[in-house]
Amino acid sequence: MAAGQRSTTGAPTGGASTEQNDRRNDRRGGGRGDGRREAPEKSAFVERVVTINRVSKVVKGGRRFSFTALVVVGDGDGTVGVGYGKAKEVPAAIAKGVEEAKKNFFKVPRIQGTVPHPITGEAAAGVVFLRPAAPGTGVIAGGPVRAVLECAGIHDVLSKSLGSTNAINIVHATVAALRGLELPEAVAARRGLSLEHVAPAAMLRAQAAGRAAAAGAGA
C-alpha cells in the first residue's frame, strides 16, 4: 500500500501520524512532571498573627492602601520574638513580620511552665501584670498577651492588662515584662546571698521537680 493511502478503516497509514501522537504524549507527560511543585517545609516555630491593620496614604492620584501585621514567633520552649511588617499585600506583611520577629528573639526564664515571680511590664501606654500560677491553671490572659505567652512556652500564668487596649502596646508591654524576669540563681548571685534566702521553698521544690522531669525525659 502506497504512502498517503487509506486503510480499510479510513485512517491514514503513514508514519507521520504515529510521530505526532508520540510528540503529543511526550508533551503531556513532560508538562505534568514539570508543573509539580514541592510542598513548602513546615516551620519549626509557632507563629501567631495578633492583628492586621489596613493603612492608606493620600497621594496626588488618590489613595494608596497597604497592610501592617503584628506577628509573634516562638519555639514554645522559652524563646520568643515580636515583629511588625508592612506591605501592599497581607501575606507579604506577615512574612516581613515573621522575619523581624526572628531577629528579635530572646530567652524567657521559666519554672515549671510559669513565670518565676510577679512582674509588671510597661510600654508606651500599655501596662501588663503577670503572676505565677499553679500547674493546671492554664494561660489566663487576653488575645495579645496569650499569643506572646503561648509562643514563649508559658502554660500556667495569671495576667491583667492595666493600661491601653491597643494590641501593639499590650504586646510590647508583655515583652517588657518577660524581659524583666529573673531566675532565683541570678538574684542570689547579684545580692551575694544563698539561694534559700532569696527564693521561697515552694519555688525551689518546683524548680527541682522540673529539672528532674527534664532529666528523665532526656534519658
Side-chain angles (χ1 to χ4, degrees):
M1 185 179 293
Q5 295 179 353
R6 294 181 177 273
S7 64
T8 56
T9 59
T13 59
S17 61
T18 305
E19 294 178 358
Q20 291 177 359
N21 293 334
D22 293 340
R23 291 175 184 174
R24 292 173 183 173
N25 293 334
D26 292 341
R27 285 197 299 267
R28 291 174 182 176
R32 291 174 183 174
D34 297 339
R36 294 177 181 176
R37 296 182 180 179
E38 297 181 358
E41 297 181 0
K42 188 175 181 180
S43 176
F45 297 102
V46 181
E47 301 175 2
R48 297 289 180 86
V49 179
V50 178
T51 182
I52 296 176
N53 187 31
R54 189 184 74 171
V55 297
S56 63
K57 179 181 180 181
V58 179
V59 295
K60 184 176 181 180
R63 292 183 179 181
R64 292 182 181 178
F65 294 97
S66 58
F67 298 88
T68 61
L70 180 63
V71 186
V72 181
V73 181
D75 62 352
D77 192 23
T79 301
V80 69
V82 176
Y84 193 73
K86 181 179 180 181
K88 294 182 179 180
E89 300 293 338
V90 174
I94 294 175
K96 288 184 179 180
V98 170
E99 292 300 323
E100 183 180 350
K102 291 180 180 180
K103 295 178 182 179
N104 298 327
F105 273 161
F106 66 95
K107 298 294 293 184
V108 179
R110 301 173 301 155
I111 295 179
Q112 282 289 81
T114 188
V115 294
H117 54 84
I119 190 169
T120 301
E122 297 184 12
V127 181
V128 173
F129 174 71
L130 302 179
R131 183 178 179 181
T137 302
V139 179
I140 309 301
V145 180
R146 175 184 293 273
V148 178
L149 296 177
E150 289 183 348
C151 290
I154 297 177
H155 307 296
D156 303 295
V157 68
L158 303 173
S159 70
K160 179 68 176 177
S161 177
L162 305 173
S164 171
T165 58
N166 182 276
I168 299 176
N169 291 338
I170 294 175
V171 167
H172 286 295
T174 306
V175 170
L178 295 180
R179 287 183 178 273
L181 293 173
E182 289 184 291
L183 289 174
E185 293 82 358
V187 178
R190 186 176 69 251
R191 295 182 180 180
L193 301 174
S194 63
L195 193 60
E196 290 75 12
H197 287 81
V198 174
M203 179 185 294
L204 298 179
R205 288 195 299 268
Q207 191 174 20
R211 291 175 179 174

